[in-house]
Amino acid sequence: MSQFAVAEQVVKEGFITLNVPHEQCVDLCTHMSLSTANKQIKTIEVKELKSVTISGLENGNYQANFFQKNSEIKKTAITFTVKHHAMRFALTLFILGGILFSTLTIPLYKLHKKTNKHDYTSN
Amino acid sequence: MITHLISFELTLAILIGFSVLWVCWGWYLGRKAKSQDDFALAGRNVGFALATATAMATWVTSNTTLVAPQLTYQFGVWGMLGYSMAALGLLLFAPLAQRIKTILPHGVTSGDFIYMRFGRFAWSVFLIISLCYALGWLVSLGMAGGILLSTLSPISYHTGMTVIITVCVLYTLLGGLRAVIATDFVQTLIIICGVCYIAYSALGQISLEQVHANVEQQQPQLLNLLFPAALMFFFNNVIFGIGEIFHSNVWWSRALAFKKGVGKKSFILAAMLWFPIPIVTGFIALSSNSLGIFPASPDMIGPLVAGELLGGAGAVLIFIIIFSALASSMDSLLAATSDLLSNDIYKKLLMKNASTQQILTVNKLMIVLLGLFTWLMSLPQITTLGALLNFTGAFVASTIWPILYGLYGNKLSNKGAGLAMMLGTIVGLIFYFQVGFYTAALASCFVSFVICQYFIRLRAIHFQWLQLKE
Amino acid sequence: MFVSELFLSTIVYTALCVSSVTPLVLLFLFFKDVMKKSLW
């Protein structure tokens, strides 16, 4: 069994699109198994797909093994790391978004009320 | 992978059937349009029912039917709810629609207002932003057409994209805004009935209990309320939606086309009715794991899950829904952007004394050129739909404050508005590339806000509203 | 902090109920405008 480290990348959103390395399997890669250092997460069928997208992953180092089901002679591994954005940074942007939204809606409501009573254009 | 759920012959029959229907209807409705007001603004007298439906249909784009599931697949519950919050854009535009109709009773485009209220510098920046956004959205619609057809049928991405763009160009060309609004009404009914049927059928086959248990085990982040990227995405999408609607001529042309007194209430009702649609279209993406579906590209997840759950009939339904959604947005965008090009660039820059007939001819030429440009740009499938759309977020979010302060206040200057839009866009693009597509609009809006505040508080002018009277 | 099944069901079913009546609302408004001859 030979292994190829195709790519190593850091994912910050918990989702990733992996290119299926059909040329490195015998004929076509039919399946992909996803595992972390200590446990196998799932095995999925990829058939003739050129790429496959997985999502909702937690922090950790992952390995995706591509292989042909009945022929484990050749196996190709893609490794990647999921490291989500820092919570402090995410919450800062979330709160900033909330403040911006309130800063927009409250004055808009007040200005609309004001202009309804007293139209600028008639001045 | 679910491939070729619809046969080549059936795909062709649906495509030809709907294309002929839309094009003939466009021709029928547009045959009496002689002036630019008739063609570009449907005679400025659209009633409440059609106004509400067109506001909804334009906002239920292929993005709602393809990107809502994509974002649910990527960001989970936050993605689904965040997408729904784009309804706030429609809701907040309601008072603006009333204001626009009051201060610009004879206006044609959003560019008209920026030019008159601020001047040439802000207008130039605004036009660049507006065109980048319109072209980005058009390309995303062209791409969506190609993705849809290549996912569900044997028709290739390029053929699908070409057919959809050609049909939309044809009926917009023949009917103008009147055709766009009328087809929007029928398309809204088709889309909503279709997505509800798919959702009910999906729930009949796979229980939410089962979906929840599976996602909790294998994609836990999708249910996590403290999922960092999704937290950033939430308000980013709200701001993006507001920016899209506030600045775009698609919405301004509607505000101007609606009968007096109709704009505000139709936008409020459209927002309330639109709000649940992304949840109805998005939640099925959560069941992909239980069904063993892992898409090649995340924007294909919606059609794939629906196809798997409902088989060939479901695929046909999905195809009709998304084809209608695509058409309802692409025609609006083609009409509104061609107005912007003919009215703002041709009339203001090239032919100041152009007659109404000349502008109408240029308007039609622009529709064809826009269609051609969209086709060319959609040829290479450069990125996913969600990422492409959010790229334009960096541009549009910077226009929110200048438009708000421009419409309601008299202190923001030409330089302030222009700089706020320019620097907001630049910072938004930096965030897009350095942090992620889900932060571009937020950063852009924040910078634009700070610059507007600086100019209003420290470099204020006193704009005379009489100058806007035409 | 994870979303419960109850929360997920509530938002999905509420959204579905509202969307189901939307076509009826639009058709009602349409015929009302037709009767009042204020469609365009």
Side-chain angles (χ1 to χ4, degrees), chain B residues 45-50 52 56 77 80-81 178 182 185 188-189 192-193 196 199-200 203 208-209 212 220 223-226 259 269 273 276-277 279-280 283 286, chain C residues 1-34 36-40:
Chain B
N45 207 29
V46 178
F48 185 43
L50 291 180
T52 308
M56 271 193 78
V77 173
M80 190 165 72
L81 292 177
R178 206 182 287 269
F185 186 83
T188 310
L189 295 180
I192 299 172
C193 292
C196 286
Y200 280 121
L203 286 170
L208 276 177
E209 188 185 358
H212 184 272
L223 296 176
N224 186 2
L225 288 176
L226 293 176
K259 203 176 280 182
L269 182 62
L273 297 177
I277 295 175
I279 298 175
V280 175
F283 87 91
L286 292 175
Chain C
M1 270 176 81
F2 288 87
V3 167
S4 70
E5 191 213 319
L6 179 69
F7 178 78
L8 187 65
S9 304
T10 309
I11 55 169
V12 169
Y13 281 110
T14 311
L16 203 47
C17 287
V18 178
S19 297
S20 304
V21 297
T22 300
L24 299 175
V25 174
L26 290 176
L27 282 171
F28 170 74
L29 293 174
F30 177 79
F31 287 115
K32 207 173 145 197
D33 273 0
V34 170
K36 281 169 33 191
K37 290 186 177 160
S38 60
L39 206 55
W40 294 107

Side-chain angles (χ1 to χ4, degrees), chain B residues 198-207 309, chain C residues 13:
Chain B
I198 289 173
Y200 280 121
S201 309
L203 286 170
Q205 289 189 40
I206 187 161
S207 72
L309 284 171
Chain C
Y13 281 110

Side-chain angles (χ1 to χ4, degrees), chain B residues 8 108 182 185 189 372:
Chain B
F8 180 78
V108 179
F185 186 83
L189 295 180
L372 194 65

Side-chain angles (χ1 to χ4, degrees), chain B residues 19-40:
Chain B
S19 305
V20 170
L21 177 72
W22 302 143
V23 173
C24 290
W25 201 1
W27 167 80
Y28 175 76
L29 290 164
R31 72 198 189 286
K32 285 178 187 164
K34 297 282 178 261
S35 68
Q36 203 210 358
D37 253 16
D38 259 353
F39 186 80

Side-chain angles (χ1 to χ4, degrees), chain A residues 12-13 59 83-91 93-94, chain B residues 75 78 221 224-234 438:
Chain A
K12 292 186 167 181
E13 299 88 2
N59 281 343
K83 188 171 184 259
H84 285 280
H85 288 286
M87 186 52 71
R88 186 178 288 183
F89 179 57
L91 280 175
L93 285 190
F94 183 77
Chain B
F75 295 123
W78 272 128
Q221 284 297 315
N224 186 2
L225 288 176
L226 293 176
F227 176 177
L231 277 175
M232 295 189 234
F233 165 80
F234 184 78
Y438 39 85

